[in-house]
């Protein structure tokens, strides 16, 4: 049975359009440096899981879908001193950080803003909408996932 997730990215750093234009429309979801988000990727994200793609900071909104196509493996960006996600405590022998690969599925006909999400019945308990929630990878229940996908296709 598939799990459902939401991943956040600043569109100026990595957008749904960037993912769509990747070779084979696949990327590694690297650079996550929060232990709870890492644990979700390392321990719970599975092949075939469905993922909402969320643009954060600028016009925060859910903009599309992707899917997990490779389960957790060590995040090599943590070992590169030239990378902005370098962590000297992470090594190949003892990796501290992990990533998954995701594949583009679709860009929604319209973005669903954070403001709009806050008004939608059935999303009241969604992790994204909790005050102070800053995780870049978070679980979404099937009901929330379905509501958002249906909303994206309405009024397009």
């Amino acid at each position: 049975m598939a799990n459902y997730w939401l991943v956040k990215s600043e569109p100026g750093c990595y957008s749904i359009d960037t993912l769509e234009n990747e070779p084979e429309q696949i990327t590694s979801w690297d650079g996550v440096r929060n232990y709870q988000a890492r644990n979700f990727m390392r321990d719970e994200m599975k092949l075939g899981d469905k993922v909402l793609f969320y643009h954060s900071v600028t016009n925060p909104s859910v903009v599309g879908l992707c899917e997990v196509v490779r389960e957790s493996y060590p995040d090599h960006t943590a070992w590169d001193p030239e990378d902005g996600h370098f962590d000297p405590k992470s090594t190949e022998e003892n990796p501290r950080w992990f990533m998954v690969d995701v594949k583009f599925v679709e860009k929604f006909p319209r973005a669903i803003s954070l403001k709009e999400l806050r008004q939608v019945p059935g999303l009241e308990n969604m992790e994204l909408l909790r005050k102070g929630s800053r995780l870049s990878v978070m679980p979404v229940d099937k009901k929330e996932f379905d509501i958002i996908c249906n909303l994206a296709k309405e009024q397009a």
Side-chain angles (χ1 to χ4, degrees):
M1 188 165 112
N3 294 314
Y4 301 89
W5 304 94
L6 180 141
V7 296
K8 292 181 184 177
S9 183
E10 294 180 29
C13 295
Y14 196 89
S15 71
I16 189 84
D17 295 321
T18 309
L19 177 58
E20 184 177 17
N21 290 308
E22 291 282 4
E24 299 182 44
Q25 299 181 316
I26 295 173
T27 194
S28 53
W29 204 257
D30 61 32
V32 173
R33 297 296 181 265
N34 171 284
Y35 286 106
Q36 188 175 5
R38 182 240 13 221
N39 292 349
F40 286 140
M41 288 196 303
R42 185 190 66 193
D43 303 334
E44 297 183 41
M45 289 182 101
K46 301 297 179 201
L47 201 62
D49 283 359
K50 308 300 181 207
V51 183
L52 295 167
F53 196 111
Y54 181 85
H55 283 170
S56 61
V57 184
T58 309
N59 301 318
S61 52
V62 179
V63 294
L65 296 176
C66 50
E67 180 177 324
V68 176
V69 293
R70 182 177 177 191
E71 292 183 13
S72 170
Y73 60 103
D75 182 344
H76 57 82
T77 65
W79 311 325
D80 180 359
E82 303 298 313
D83 192 281
H85 300 112
F86 175 65
D87 180 351
K89 293 180 181 175
S90 184
T91 64
E92 289 186 52
E93 300 75 31
N94 188 22
R96 179 177 273 195
W97 304 107
F98 291 80
M99 59 188 172
V100 297
D101 287 357
V102 296
K103 180 176 177 62
F104 175 85
V105 172
E106 73 174 296
K107 183 175 177 179
F108 286 156
R110 67 181 192 94
I112 305 174
S113 71
L114 182 60
K115 182 179 178 183
E116 183 178 353
L117 290 169
R118 291 190 186 285
Q119 308 303 315
V120 177
L123 300 181
E124 299 85 1
N125 296 315
M126 188 174 183
E127 177 64 33
L128 175 69
L129 304 180
R130 289 193 180 158
K131 200 145 191 86
S133 178
R134 299 190 42 83
L135 288 175
S136 61
V137 176
M138 65 187 72
V140 174
D141 71 32
K142 180 168 179 12
K143 181 183 91 174
E144 295 165 342
F145 184 87
D146 290 343
I147 288 170
I148 291 169
C149 288
N150 289 332
L151 195 57
K153 292 170 173 98
E154 288 177 6
Q155 310 158 351

